[in-house]
Amino acid sequence: MKAVTLVKAGNVEQAFEVREHPMPTMKPHQVLIKVEAFGLNFADVMARKGLYREAPPMPSIIGYDVVGVVEQAGEEADQNLVGKRVTALTRFGGYAEYVATNARAVAEVPADMPAGTATALATQYTTAYHSACEKMNLFPGDHVLVHAAAGGVGTALVQLAKWRGCIVYGTASKPEKLEYLKSIGVDHAINYRTTDYEAEARKLLGEKGRFDAIFNAVGGKSFKKDMRLLGSGGSICCFGAAERSSGKWGIFSTLNLVFSMGFIHPIFMMMRSKTVVGINMLKVADYQPEAILRSMKEVVKLTEAGVLKPHVGGEFSVNEVGKAHAFLEGRDSIGKVVVKW
């Protein structure tokens, strides 16, 4: 089979080659999927730069979500999945014509669902649902801050928060992204490049004064600001460290990211009644696969019901993977970026 192979860390022009690989070896609990398209996530950018610790050694096939048709099912997997079009989470290996993945990381999708929409439901919408609806409860009237709200996970979080009746504040970097945020229901769109989002949020919060929930995929100094903006009884959900991607000093950039986020102690968290939730979907998949399946099925149902509406911000061919990575890394994308075979 053919697969887009990560051969060199760093520059997008030199990072990938389309190579022949053996077909995946399917385990008893897995299904084999003929891939129609695969999605890009910011973790792919981190892996390409050599900054994702759990990525396989190069040359390797990365990729975390696909859409395609199940061709085989292992003896411990649901045999009814064979022949079904599905969206699936993959523990790497997604940038290929075929991928084997855990059957509990697969959900059936309609035959006419666009490929970009289907791939968005796997990593991004499942991450958002697991974060917002399983690990953090949102209630009507809650004031919620979503960082990078125009991205794939950000869009999903905004839609879920609005579904729950929340007042949503979203950050983005460009005027066109701010307009997009308003179009999907964000009540207060904040340009974090032209304003100090902490100061702007305080003005917008008014008498409320603090947020009930914050979703942060950025890390770095924003975490300290978020802790100051979080009210008693509130929670911060951290599911990424995008700020690290711009670092040029290797381990020193990583250390700077860690120290800039500061340190927290359980005593202070109890005194202030605040919660910090960390999400790593690879670990959730390893230790709570039933939670992954539950969340995936819910986002498919909510999408079919029209509650969730993934936005596809870019479609590329396999020969344009480098271009797709540059598009995502440059923060030009809105919503999901998908690559089709």
Side-chain angles (χ1 to χ4, degrees), residues 100-331:
T101 194
N102 192 317
R104 288 184 288 183
V106 170
E108 186 178 354
V109 295
D112 61 352
M113 180 178 282
T117 298
T119 57
L121 297 184
T123 300
Q124 294 169 326
Y125 274 73
T126 298
T127 297
Y129 187 91
H130 182 75
S131 302
C133 301
E134 296 227 346
K135 294 304 179 184
M136 293 172 62
N137 287 318
L138 301 179
F139 297 95
D142 280 354
H143 288 250
V144 176
L145 173 63
V146 179
H147 285 281
V153 181
T155 293
L157 286 167
V158 168
Q159 292 173 356
L160 287 166
K162 295 303 294 184
W163 174 53
R164 290 291 181 92
C166 301
I167 299 164
V168 181
Y169 303 66
T171 69
S173 60
K174 298 178 180 179
E176 58 269 29
K177 290 189 175 184
L178 299 177
E179 290 303 314
Y180 167 73
L181 295 186
K182 294 173 186 176
S183 75
I184 62 172
V186 169
D187 299 281
H188 304 287
I190 302 171
N191 189 326
Y192 68 84
R193 289 197 185 277
T194 59
T195 63
D196 177 353
Y197 82 83
E198 181 183 7
E200 185 66 17
R202 289 193 188 282
K203 287 193 295 184
L204 292 169
L205 284 163
E207 291 183 3
K208 169 69 179 177
R210 296 288 189 274
F211 286 110
D212 301 294
I214 298 174
F215 295 91
N216 189 321
V218 180
K221 294 177 181 178
S222 67
F223 180 76
K224 284 184 177 179
K225 291 185 176 184
D226 286 356
M227 286 297 289
R228 294 194 293 265
L229 287 168
L230 188 68
S232 293
S235 301
I236 294 179
C237 181
C238 299
F239 57 94
E243 188 173 293
R244 174 63 183 90
S245 68
S246 60
K248 301 178 181 179
W249 302 285
I251 186 63
F252 296 106
S253 290
T254 301
L255 290 172
N256 180 64
L257 177 78
V258 171
F259 285 114
S260 66
M261 292 180 73
F263 297 91
I264 57 177
H265 193 282
I267 291 293
F268 296 116
M269 301 302 287
M270 286 188 289
M271 290 173 61
R272 296 164 185 167
S273 191
K274 295 183 179 183
T275 304
V276 177
V277 178
I279 301 291
N280 179 332
M281 293 302 282
L282 289 180
K283 294 301 183 185
V284 177
D286 286 343
Y287 294 99
Q288 292 185 312
E290 67 284 352
I292 294 289
L293 182 57
R294 186 168 59 239
S295 295
M296 289 186 76
K297 287 184 175 180
E298 285 300 315
V299 297
V300 172
K301 284 197 296 185
L302 289 170
T303 301
E304 291 186 274
V307 173
L308 301 179
K309 299 176 181 179
H311 178 85
V312 180
E315 293 188 354
F316 297 84
S317 70
V318 166
N319 294 325
E320 297 176 308
V321 168
K323 184 178 178 181
H325 264 248
F327 180 62
L328 180 62
E329 184 182 358
R331 313 294 173 99

